[in-house]
C-alpha cells in the first residue's frame, strides 16, 4: 500500500530551527508537497519538490531524496505564528495526492 | 490570495437528512477536489473533477455525489447523512493539476450528524 509517515507532534522554541521529516512509500512519484494548516483553517501551500535537493524559500526550506523516499521541511528563526500542522503529500503515478497525517508543531516562547 | 468559498461553514443535522455542501471558486480553475479531514488524520479524497461535466470518485466516494455543471461550482451532496459522516469537508481547486500546481483550499465545512 501507499504510505506517508511524519511525526505526530514536535515542540520547538521561538527563534530556533526545526526540521520536520517525511518518509514515503508510493506507487510512483510525481513530486512532493508541503502544506501548512493552522488550527481551524484551510491548508496553504508551502513548497513543491520533484528533483533531489534543497529548495529554499525565505525562512522555509524543503529537501528531497527520491532514492531514500525522504523529505524534510526546515523552518528557521521560528516565530509563534509558525505554530501549525505541517502536511506532507506525495503525487503518485496517477497524479493523485497521498497525504500524511500532518505534524503538529508547537512553538514555545 | 485564493478565492474559493465554501458554505455552510458549520452544519448540525439529524440522521437521514439530505445535505449539499457548496463550493465555488472565482479563479477559473479547471480542477476541483473534495477532501474529508478528521482531527489529526490525513486528508482523504472524496471526489474530483478535471473540468465541466467531468467527475471522478476518490477513496471515500461511495456515500456522496458531486456535479460540475459550471467551472466555478462543485457541490457535494450526501443523500442520507449518518453520524459517521461527521467530519470536516475541504474543497480545493488547482489550475495545474495536483502533480504540478498548488491546491487552493476553501475554509472548510464542518459537519455534525446527530
Amino acid at each position: 500500500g501507499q504510505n506517508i509517515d511524519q511525526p505526530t507532534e514536535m515542540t520547538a522554541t521561538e527563534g530556533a530551527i526545526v526540521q520536520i521529516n517525511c518518509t514515503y512509500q508510493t506507487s510512483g512519484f510525481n513530486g512532493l508537497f508541503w502544506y501548512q494548516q493552522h488550527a481551524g483553517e484551510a491548508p496553504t501551500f508551502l513548497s513543491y519538490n520533484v528533483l533531489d535537493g534543497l529548495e529554499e524559500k525565505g525562512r522555509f526550506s524543503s529537501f528531497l531524496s527520491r532514492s531514500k523516499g525522504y523529505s524534510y521541511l526546515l523552518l528557521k528563526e521560528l516565530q509563534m505564528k509558525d505554530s501549525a500542522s505541517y502536511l506532507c503529500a506525495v503525487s503518485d503515478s496517477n497524479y493523485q495526492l497521498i497525504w500524511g497525517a500532518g505534524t503538529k508543531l508547537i512553538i514555545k516562547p | 490570495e485564493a478565492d474559493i468559498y465554501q458554505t455552510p461553514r458549520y452544519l448540525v443535522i439529524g440522521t437521514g437528512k439530505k445535505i449539499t455542501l457548496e463550493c465555488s471558486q472565482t479563479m477559473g480553475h479547471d480542477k476541483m477536489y473534495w477532501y474529508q479531514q478528521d482531527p489529526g488524520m490525513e486528508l482523504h479524497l472524496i471526489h474530483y473533477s478535471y473540468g465541466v461535466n467531468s467527475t471522478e470518485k476518490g477513496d471515500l466516494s461511495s456515500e456522496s455525489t458531486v456535479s460540475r455543471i459550471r467551472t466555478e461550482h462543485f457541490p457535494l451532496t450526501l443523500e442520507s447523512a449518518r453520524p459517521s459522516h461527521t467530519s470536516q469537508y475541504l474543497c480545493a481547486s488547482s489550475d495545474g493539476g495536483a502533480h504540478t500546481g498548488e491546491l487552493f483550499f476553501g475554509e472548510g465545512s464542518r459537519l455534525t450528524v446527530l
Side-chain angles (χ1 to χ4, degrees):
Chain A
Q2 307 200 92
N3 193 52
I4 308 288
D5 285 318
Q6 47 182 134
T8 302
E9 186 174 296
M10 299 181 70
T11 301
T13 304
E14 190 178 14
I17 299 173
V18 70
Q19 177 175 312
I20 302 174
N21 296 325
C22 171
T23 58
Y24 63 88
Q25 290 179 307
T26 57
S27 56
F29 178 84
N30 283 300
L32 185 144
F33 295 80
W34 284 96
Y35 282 80
Q36 180 190 59
Q37 186 177 26
H38 285 100
E41 298 183 11
T44 54
F45 171 81
L46 286 178
S47 66
Y48 170 69
N49 294 69
V50 67
L51 299 175
D52 290 351
L54 187 68
E55 295 278 345
E56 296 187 77
K57 190 184 295 184
R59 293 189 299 115
F60 293 6
S61 303
S62 56
F63 172 83
L64 174 67
S65 170
R66 289 172 295 171
S67 63
K68 295 181 179 179
Y70 167 70
S71 172
Y72 67 73
L73 181 69
L74 191 71
L75 291 74
K76 303 176 184 176
E77 301 170 13
L78 286 170
Q79 302 174 9
M80 297 303 292
K81 68 178 181 180
D82 297 330
S83 292
S85 288
Y86 292 86
L87 313 180
C88 174
V90 172
S91 179
D92 69 8
S93 57
N94 295 318
Y95 297 102
Q96 295 298 333
L97 282 181
I98 310 301
W99 294 83
T103 298
K104 183 178 181 180
L105 178 62
I106 300 169
I107 308 297
K108 295 185 175 180
Chain B
E1 187 172 316
D3 294 306
I4 180 165
Y5 308 99
Q6 291 185 237
T7 58
R9 290 292 311 280
Y10 302 92
L11 180 63
V12 180
I13 61 169
T15 298
K17 299 292 185 182
K18 176 180 179 179
I19 62 164
T20 296
L21 304 180
E22 303 287 349
C23 177
S24 295
Q25 50 97 4
T26 57
M27 297 172 283
H29 289 170
D30 286 328
K31 299 174 177 63
M32 296 189 73
Y33 308 83
W34 275 105
Y35 285 95
Q36 184 176 336
Q37 185 184 33
D38 293 315
M41 303 294 288
E42 60 267 38
L43 277 72
H44 288 286
L45 183 64
I46 310 172
H47 293 277
Y48 60 100
S49 168
Y50 285 170
V52 172
N53 295 324
S54 160
T55 61
E56 301 289 342
K57 295 182 177 182
D59 302 331
L60 299 178
S61 61
S62 60
E63 299 173 351
S64 61
T65 59
V66 291
S67 62
R68 190 83 183 279
I69 299 173
R70 304 196 314 267
T71 297
E72 61 270 23
H73 195 213
F74 191 43
L76 173 75
T77 298
L78 292 173
E79 292 294 333
S80 180
R82 298 205 304 266
S84 61
H85 293 138
T86 295
S87 188
Q88 164 101 313
Y89 293 84
L90 292 168
C91 180
S93 72
S94 171
D95 63 355
H99 61 292
T100 55
E102 65 181 280
L103 294 182
F104 293 90
F105 284 89
E107 294 292 333
S109 293
R110 184 165 295 281
L111 174 64
T112 301
V113 183
L114 304 177

